[in-house]
Amino acid sequence: MVGNTFPYTPQDWLNDIKLAHSSGIDGFALNMGSDDWQPARVADAYAAAQTSSLDFKVFLSLDMSTLPCSTANDAASLRTLVTTYLSHPNQLRYTRGSSEQLPLVSTFAGESCKFGQASVVDGWRSQFTQHPDLQGKMTFVPSFFVAPNQMSQFQGVVDGTFNWNGGWPVELTTDSTGSSSNSLSSTLKNLLGVNTTTNAIGKFSNLLGTGETSSSSDTASGLLNLEDALSNFIGSTDSDSQFLNASIGNTSNNVYIAAVSPWFFTHFGKNSFNKNFLYLADQHLYSKRWESLIPAQVPLGTDSDLNATSTQPSISEQVDIVEIISWNDYGESHYVGPIEGALPTGSEVWTDGMNHTAWLSLTSYYASAFKAGTYPSVSSNEERVVVWSRTHPASADATSDTVGSVPGSELVLDAMWAVTLLSQPANVTLQIIPSSSNSSTESPLAQQTFPVPAGLSKLTIPISVPDTMDSVSMRTVVERENDTVMDLNAAQMGFAFVKTPQQFNFNAWVGCAGDGCVV
């Protein structure tokens, strides 16, 4: 997000590029908006990529939600911007089915831009892609927020599709493609049959932790069934298939960019950006989304069956590029890079102390698998465990939040999530501990031990706060032959799961332990 880089120096760009490259990322999509200072930051990004001496690419993703596009002059400004970097040595060049690799240009939105012409199609065709300044000089793969069957109108205008919304199961919280509605979809309400004001699913962990039987047990069982229903949406490639099977996708040379993302939460009030909702990211969304795009089989651990294996996804050979959303979009909580630069005013409420760079330790593994077509082995000096959770129960009432409750929070689980990457089998224990715990010998409040094989495994246990406490934390211990090989005590790292928060915060706290952690 170039809009969050106002104070960036060339060294800041270089630092980000080095960190991204070491995490298996090949380039940055520069989401550029309308601020008059942003072209200078874009120039710095291209220059830093060249200075780095790394094989690191950048390309423009024109943010048409803010860039003007109502006149021919608006289009001329875009063409000038694009042509500035067409020949830059670090410009990403990609063309499917051709020996001539052309510079790639993308967008965020743009499905209503006419550039002074009679229609959107005519505007993009005559004033941009087929204009003499750009015709035959680029590969244009926009993210137009239209239904897949509407992409056919852009044949001859675009060279492919970037499915931005594919990173999350947005169909759980929206009624239409490309929407960011603040309510659950009617389809999901009918599927779940839940009262969407009660956080029924978010209370699942509390029910499981009571040890009660009869009606409480039946309720917990019912909520687990709802969790199973939601799992069908996690990492799904249904929306990808819809775009790939649309008319524009019938041409074998069309480029397809798939999105992956670890999270989504935004909480701006009506006096700000007026965005207050989340997309479901439970059940190891980041891992499962990556796995759905990798053309290989690998043992994939689940809570109940660590030996389950995946089936090769049908779309893997059609995915050209995976775009991670995002490096630094702090306002929507899906950043994987460091918290730096100029955060959107108000977003510090949910980003302060919520570093996500530990997710880069998973990114490097999956990026390697996507590019190689096979999962890498894990050596003894690359072992790591990545752990995350939210900071309060889904059903909590915030004491001083002026924005209000968060639509979509009805779906989330109170859980501790972990992914292990191991060179050899081990026993992995997930614990819920007092938030004040600084001792490795203090008894946990709850725990579960999993016998985990070598490779990647995904684990989870519920997290809840006892009536006698105000908060708890979490810990992960990896043991092999009675020796502790990794120990992640989140309490010592500042994480607390608070029973009654002051502000709603459905962002994730993420930590990593082990020699294989990227940062």
Side-chain angles (χ1 to χ4, degrees):
M1 298 290 292
V2 178
N4 291 341
T5 65
F6 177 76
Y8 260 42
T9 66
Q11 185 62 48
D12 292 325
W13 282 108
L14 185 60
N15 292 342
D16 278 1
I17 287 169
K18 288 180 177 179
L19 177 58
H21 185 265
S22 69
S23 305
I25 296 171
D26 296 319
F28 283 150
L30 300 176
N31 175 276
M32 180 182 171
S34 58
D35 297 310
D36 58 7
W37 52 266
Q38 290 199 36
R41 299 301 176 275
V42 168
D44 287 345
Y46 273 91
Q50 186 172 7
T51 301
S52 72
S53 298
L54 301 170
D55 186 17
F56 195 87
K57 306 300 182 183
V58 286
F59 66 96
L60 291 172
S61 180
L62 305 169
D63 194 333
M64 304 312 301
S65 69
T66 64
L67 288 166
C69 59
S70 60
T71 70
N73 286 337
D74 293 333
S77 297
L78 293 183
R79 294 196 306 271
T80 298
L81 175 64
V82 169
T83 55
T84 300
Y85 298 104
L86 290 180
S87 60
H88 193 281
N90 291 82
Q91 163 67 45
L92 176 65
R93 306 175 72 87
Y94 191 91
T95 305
R96 198 177 231 251
S98 173
S99 58
E100 183 182 9
Q101 299 293 288
L102 298 177
L104 188 142
V105 178
S106 187
T107 74
F108 177 85
E111 66 279 355
S112 60
C113 293
K114 293 185 178 180
F115 299 111
Q117 309 307 301
S119 69
V120 171
V121 173
D122 287 343
W124 280 109
R125 177 187 291 117
S126 66
Q127 300 302 306
F128 195 71
T129 62
Q130 301 303 318
H131 189 279
D133 290 350
L134 293 176
Q135 186 176 16
K137 298 179 182 179
M138 67 173 179
T139 300
F140 185 49
V141 188
S143 176
F144 288 163
F145 292 103
V146 299
N149 60 9
Q150 294 179 313
M151 285 302 297
S152 60
Q153 65 184 307
F154 294 104
Q155 287 191 28
V157 180
V158 305
D159 301 302
T161 300
F162 171 32
N163 181 14
W164 193 91
N165 266 338
W168 311 270
V170 300
E171 62 269 42
L172 299 181
T173 47
T174 61
D175 282 314
S176 60
T177 300
S179 169
S180 290
S181 167
N182 285 5
S183 63
L184 301 182
S185 67
S186 58
T187 301
L188 181 66
K189 291 178 184 179
N190 293 335
L191 170 66
L192 300 181
V194 298
N195 177 342
T196 61
T197 65
T198 61
N199 289 90
I201 299 171
K203 292 178 179 177
F204 132 86
S205 61
N206 290 330
L207 286 167
L208 292 186
T210 61
E212 297 180 13
T213 58
S214 66
S215 61
S216 292
S217 177
D218 293 341
T219 302
S221 177
L223 292 175
L224 284 172
N225 289 336
L226 296 184
E227 183 189 359
D228 287 341
L230 292 178
S231 69
N232 295 323
F233 297 92
I234 302 298
S236 170
T237 59
D238 286 350
S239 71
D240 305 280
S241 296
Q242 291 170 13
F243 277 104
L244 287 165
N245 293 333
S247 296
I248 186 174
N250 290 337
T251 303
S252 61
N253 291 340
N254 278 312
V255 176
Y256 188 72
I257 302 178
V260 299
S261 183
W263 214 251
F264 194 116
F265 163 68
T266 184
H267 195 53
F268 292 107
K270 293 181 180 179
N271 60 344
S272 180
F273 295 102
N274 194 24
K275 296 197 309 181
N276 177 36
F277 60 96
L278 60 80
Y279 292 149
L280 183 66
D282 287 347
Q283 303 187 46
H284 301 94
L285 170 68
Y286 196 43
S287 287
K288 291 181 180 178
R289 177 62 177 165
W290 268 111
E291 289 159 7
S292 73
L293 303 174
I294 295 171
Q297 291 186 342
V298 65
L300 303 177
T302 66
D303 299 349
S304 58
D305 182 6
L306 293 175
N307 295 313
T309 58
S310 68
T311 57
Q312 182 169 317
S314 59
I315 71 163
S316 59
E317 293 184 358
Q318 297 170 273
V319 176
D320 297 276
I321 295 170
V322 172
E323 190 164 321
I324 301 162
I325 303 173
S326 64
W327 181 261
N328 67 332
D329 193 341
Y330 312 111
E332 294 180 351
S333 306
H334 44 64
Y335 52 95
V336 296
I339 300 175
E340 58 186 356
L343 278 66
T345 301
S347 64
E348 65 277 356
V349 172
W350 58 89
T351 58
D352 188 22
M354 306 290 275
N355 192 0
H356 288 180
T357 51
W359 269 327
L360 291 175
S361 304
L362 294 182
T363 302
S364 59
Y365 179 81
Y366 284 116
S368 175
F370 175 77
K371 288 182 281 188
T374 183
Y375 285 88
S377 58
V378 180
S379 64
S380 59
N381 62 350
E382 295 174 325
E383 291 190 312
R384 62 251 197 209
V385 56
V386 181
V387 179
W388 63 95
S389 184
R390 296 179 178 88
T391 60
H392 62 72
S395 59
D397 291 322
T399 59
S400 58
D401 194 298
T402 59
V403 178
S405 59
V406 180
S409 63
E410 302 88 347
L411 302 179
V412 304
L413 298 170
D414 296 338
M416 168 187 180
W417 310 96
V419 173
T420 59
L421 286 164
L422 303 179
S423 63
Q424 303 175 51
N427 287 328
V428 179
T429 302
L430 305 186
Q431 299 178 344
I432 306 304
I433 61 175
S435 57
S436 59
S437 175
N438 288 312
S439 170
S440 61
T441 60
E442 188 170 351
S443 297
L445 303 170
Q447 67 177 358
Q448 185 172 352
T449 298
F450 303 85
V452 172
L456 182 143
S457 296
K458 301 185 289 291
L459 311 171
T460 185
I461 62 170
I463 185 170
S464 62
V465 185
D467 292 339
T468 57
M469 294 184 174
D470 295 325
S471 64
V472 296
S473 191
M474 57 188 178
R475 182 184 177 208
T476 301
V477 181
V478 181
E479 297 177 301
R480 189 177 290 128
E481 297 179 352
N482 296 321
D483 290 330
T484 299
V485 294
M486 284 179 278
D487 188 344
L488 192 159
N489 187 323
Q492 296 177 354
M493 302 166 74
F495 170 75
F497 185 82
V498 181
K499 182 186 298 181
T500 305
Q502 292 184 332
Q503 306 279 340
F504 287 114
N505 187 353
F506 286 86
N507 194 4
W509 183 94
V510 193
C512 183
D515 293 339
C517 294
V518 172
V519 291

